[in-house]
Amino acid sequence: MADLASNESLDALLRRSLTAEQRAALEHKLGTAAAEDLALARALARLPDKPVASNFNARVLAALDHPLAAPVAPPWWTALLRPRWAAAAGVALAAMLALAGWQQHARRLQAGTFRPIAALGALDQLSPAVLQDFDAIQRYASGPAAGVDFELLESLQ
Amino acid sequence: MPAPAPDPDAELMLRVKRGDRGAFEELLNRWRQPVLNFVARQLHDDDEAEDVAQHVFVQVWKTAARYEPTSRFTTWLFTIARNLALNELRRRGRHPAVPLDEPQDTGEAEIPRQHVDARTAPPADEAQLRELERKIEEALAALPEPQRTAILLFRDTEMSYDDIARVLKCSVSATKSVIHRGRETLKARLKPYLRTGAWAPAAGPETFPARRG
């Protein structure tokens, strides 16, 4: 913890906005053990500002008048990327995906349930001659209703 | 937990968002110097820095509609400044232009021997101070970009660790670590100069040139 506080004090020495009193107080607190840090902080603090051209503002403001510099309204969908909407958008997307998945599953289930029933319905249209071989047909079947061999039924018709 | 201090720059930026050019000029006057300092020390080229710094403010104007006052204005401003400076550095990486009149000095090994002996030199005069400033600028330029960014933002702005972490897109603890490593690297590189005593006089901001133009 002491190291952390000491490190933050050393960082604070880098602040250019420190007054002479604040700097002296920090230096006193850190003591001579941090002599190199103190020298580095002083050196960094003394680095001069870069010269600003006298027409700096004028050039920026002139650039604003250029058509390409007109403020650009972000596309509507970028609002979804903002933190406050991102969570809601994520939940909505997950719900939509879950619903679509469930619907697809329900359709598959429905098709699987009704196909054998429909096939059994087709048995009504068979002639009695065909049904006399029903036992033989049943032997070929591997399961109950789902195992109806439509190809065989068609060939028998 | 104390409420965060109101950010007057954020207020101005909200006015800029509504197209208020006066507010924009106020921000421009307030921040052009720190932005120029930051960009110039990222690029190590004052001429290019001027163009990039101007572009930073044009981008602030152009993208004002996206500004949300959820974080401090400086975080927004220096994120733009950092991104544009990095773009310029990447462009330079693709099209390097090596100055013919200036040797590349990037490491401790290249520090001239006479400066190592300077620890016994008499008190620094103006020329020596300029030379030391140049060495510090070079040492800053040789830092890895995140370390340089963190140290410059800490030095030139009132940004907190949290604000700097947002600019660097890392955690607060990682930011503290980056600043610590940057300080250590600078100390190692500048050791011979720091021992000269040239920086001995305590220096407050009143001894420096005006911070904001």
Side-chain angles (χ1 to χ4, degrees):
Chain A
M1 190 59 90
D3 277 354
L4 186 68
S6 166
N7 260 327
E8 291 190 5
S9 298
L10 289 171
D11 290 346
L13 269 179
L14 299 178
R15 294 279 195 206
R16 206 177 171 201
S17 55
L18 284 181
T19 62
E21 291 75 27
Q22 288 168 327
R23 188 173 295 277
L26 267 176
E27 290 184 2
H28 178 73
K29 180 181 165 188
L30 290 163
T32 51
E36 278 184 359
D37 286 288
L38 302 183
L40 175 67
R42 288 192 203 112
L44 283 173
R46 288 186 66 137
L47 280 182
D49 281 331
K50 297 291 178 180
V52 182
S54 57
N55 63 350
F56 186 96
N57 284 19
R59 287 177 64 188
V60 172
L61 295 173
L64 299 191
D65 293 329
H66 193 277
L68 289 177
V72 180
W76 65 268
W77 52 264
T78 56
L80 298 177
L81 301 177
R82 289 179 195 151
R84 90 172 70 148
W85 293 110
V91 169
L93 184 65
M96 281 168 60
L97 287 174
L99 183 66
W102 181 81
Q103 278 180 333
Q104 199 172 10
H105 174 70
R107 269 200 298 273
R108 274 191 201 144
L109 199 66
Q110 201 175 31
T113 306
F114 288 113
R115 198 174 57 168
I117 294 171
L120 284 173
L123 289 177
D124 291 347
Q125 296 161 11
L126 296 177
S127 67
V130 170
L131 287 175
Q132 71 188 6
D133 294 324
F134 184 77
D135 290 340
I137 294 167
Q138 203 174 26
R139 274 201 298 279
Y140 284 106
S142 57
V148 173
D149 189 336
F150 295 100
E151 280 183 26
L152 182 59
L153 277 173
E154 277 172 20
S155 66
L156 288 171
Q157 277 177 320
Chain B
M1 190 181 218
D7 181 4
D9 295 324
E11 295 293 322
L12 286 171
M13 194 56 201
L14 288 176
R15 283 169 53 196
V16 172
K17 197 174 174 175
R18 295 193 293 268
D20 185 335
R21 213 156 146 142
F24 177 77
E25 282 187 57
E26 212 170 314
L27 285 174
L28 180 58
N29 285 329
R30 193 177 291 183
W31 287 103
R32 64 183 178 182
Q33 184 70 68
V35 167
L36 183 63
N37 286 346
F38 175 77
V39 175
R41 291 191 168 111
Q42 292 286 3
L43 302 181
H44 209 44
D45 180 323
D46 291 358
D47 293 331
E48 260 180 334
E50 181 99 11
D51 290 339
V52 173
Q54 284 167 5
H55 195 42
V56 168
F57 287 100
V58 174
Q59 283 298 109
V60 166
W61 174 260
K62 276 180 74 174
T63 58
R66 288 184 213 160
Y67 175 73
E68 292 289 332
T70 47
S71 58
R72 295 183 73 81
F73 167 71
T74 42
T75 310
W76 169 264
L77 178 68
F78 283 99
T79 299
I80 293 174
R82 183 192 185 212
N83 287 343
L84 292 182
L86 285 177
N87 284 349
E88 180 58 28
L89 288 173
R90 281 190 208 106
R91 191 194 63 77
R92 258 193 224 170
R94 289 195 297 272
H95 310 286
V98 180
L100 298 174
D101 56 344
E102 193 175 304
Q104 296 292 299
D105 185 359
T106 54
E108 193 175 10
E110 295 174 35
I111 292 169
R113 190 174 293 270
Q114 68 265 28
H115 291 296
V116 177
D117 297 336
R119 71 187 71 175
T120 55
D125 60 8
E126 194 66 13
Q128 192 185 4
L129 279 176
R130 295 290 86 79
E131 175 67 6
L132 288 170
E133 281 170 10
R134 196 172 67 80
K135 289 293 168 195
I136 293 167
E137 296 277 14
E138 286 170 0
L140 271 171
L143 283 180
E145 186 276 330
Q147 293 178 17
R148 183 170 60 244
T149 294
I151 286 186
L152 289 175
L153 291 181
F154 210 88
R155 170 190 178 268
D156 275 349
T157 71
E158 295 303 307
M159 290 170 81
S160 63
Y161 289 115
D162 189 48
D163 293 334
I164 296 172
R166 284 167 195 258
V167 174
L168 293 180
K169 297 182 177 66
C170 65
S171 67
V172 170
S173 58
T175 300
K176 288 180 180 178
S177 167
V178 162
I179 294 175
H180 175 74
R181 287 205 305 275
R183 257 196 300 109
E184 292 303 309
T185 308
L186 285 177
K187 272 195 305 183
R189 290 208 169 118
L190 296 169
K191 202 165 203 160
Y193 309 107
L194 297 177
R195 285 176 179 175
T196 61
W199 310 108
E206 65 277 10
T207 62
F208 308 136
R211 183 173 151 223
R212 290 173 185 169

